Amino acid sequence: MAEQIAPTRSNLLQRRDQLRLAQRGVDLLKRKRDALIAEFFGLVKESLAARRSLAAASKEAYFSLFLANAWDGPEEVESLNLASRTGLELEISIENIFGVKVPQVRPPEFSGELPFSPINAGARTLDAAAQFRRLTEAIIQVAATETRLRRMGEEIKKTSRRVNALEQTVIPGIVVQIRQIRSVLEQRALEEVTVLKRIKAKLQEREGQQSEAVTA
């Protein structure tokens, strides 16, 4: 139900300004949504590529771990695993994409040095360590890409809801108010014209009577 407002000319002008503003807002929001959707599909391709890289890195890493356990023994692999537990630092920045703040995570770049002494480690174990480093990079890349993808998706939904609210609720409500005010103003104008015609007719009738009296 449209809000009832006083049917005045100032309110009519105000509602017309609001209508133009709402229509302009819809246009801007649609442009933003289209740009976000284009960016979203670009991120989808990037996410799928990251997923494929993760699947390949995971396959290589666990196969190399299988070989390390078979050739060097699970005890040696486990001992090096305990010795190599270190923290992992990630560089995170915020990127502004069409007004949307999206986290940008940069995967770590491991140096060539291993976090343990390779002197007593077997070749298979060293290869497994290198493969799991690549797997770590792939996991972080997937997490970073899908975080951006989810954030963009949320903003697209939010923008679409705002467009729908304007198109389906706000703008129709303003249009109804404009029609109601205009109808009342037109009715008033018609009534004023009718009254003026009656007054004019009475004045003309009186003038006619006065002329006849003078002539007589």
Side-chain angles (χ1 to χ4, degrees):
M1 182 179 295
E3 178 188 356
Q4 296 298 321
I5 59 173
T8 62
R9 185 163 297 278
S10 62
N11 280 336
L12 178 61
L13 295 175
Q14 183 186 52
R15 289 304 184 273
R16 284 175 175 172
D17 288 339
Q18 290 178 350
L19 180 60
R20 285 192 292 268
L21 183 62
Q23 290 171 336
R24 191 179 303 117
V26 168
D27 182 59
L28 292 174
L29 287 172
K30 284 184 175 180
R31 291 182 184 180
K32 176 182 177 181
R33 184 182 61 186
D34 293 343
L36 289 174
I37 290 174
E39 185 74 18
F40 180 84
F41 281 113
L43 287 174
V44 167
K45 293 180 181 179
E46 186 178 336
S47 178
L48 292 175
R51 279 283 178 179
R52 288 192 293 269
S53 297
L54 174 61
S58 178
K59 181 179 179 181
E60 292 293 332
Y62 283 98
F63 182 69
S64 64
L65 179 61
F66 170 78
L67 293 179
N69 283 321
W71 286 84
D72 300 332
E75 295 81 6
E76 180 177 338
V77 173
E78 181 63 24
S79 63
L80 291 178
N81 175 51
L82 294 174
S84 64
R85 290 183 178 179
T86 58
L88 186 64
E89 294 184 359
L90 298 179
E91 182 179 342
I92 301 177
S93 59
I94 301 298
E95 183 180 0
N96 192 313
I97 302 177
F98 304 108
V100 184
K101 294 183 179 180
V102 180
Q104 176 71 34
V105 181
R106 180 175 298 177
E109 296 180 359
F110 294 106
S111 62
E113 298 180 359
L114 294 171
F116 54 82
S117 175
I119 296 176
N120 296 321
R124 301 290 182 177
T125 300
L126 294 177
D127 180 64
Q131 293 295 341
F132 270 89
R133 282 190 167 192
R134 297 188 185 96
L135 177 59
T136 301
E137 293 176 354
I139 291 173
I140 294 172
Q141 184 63 47
V142 167
T145 304
E146 295 192 356
T147 297
R148 290 163 58 86
L149 194 63
R150 183 172 60 254
R151 183 70 184 89
M152 296 294 290
E154 291 171 353
E155 189 64 25
I156 290 171
K157 290 180 181 179
K158 179 181 176 181
T159 305
S160 295
R161 286 195 297 267
R162 293 176 65 185
V163 169
N164 292 337
L166 286 171
E167 287 187 328
Q168 299 175 13
T169 303
V170 176
I171 291 178
I174 296 174
V175 170
V176 169
Q177 290 176 343
I178 290 174
R179 288 175 180 172
Q180 290 174 343
I181 296 173
R182 190 166 55 196
S183 176
V184 172
L185 292 178
E186 289 175 352
Q187 183 63 30
R188 285 179 182 174
L190 181 61
E191 291 174 355
E192 290 175 357
V193 170
T194 302
V195 170
L196 290 173
K197 285 182 177 180
R198 288 176 181 175
I199 293 173
K200 183 179 179 180
K202 287 182 179 181
L203 290 174
Q204 289 176 345
E205 181 182 356
R206 184 178 300 176
E207 290 176 355
Q209 292 173 352
Q210 290 176 353
S211 298
E212 290 178 0
V214 171
T215 302

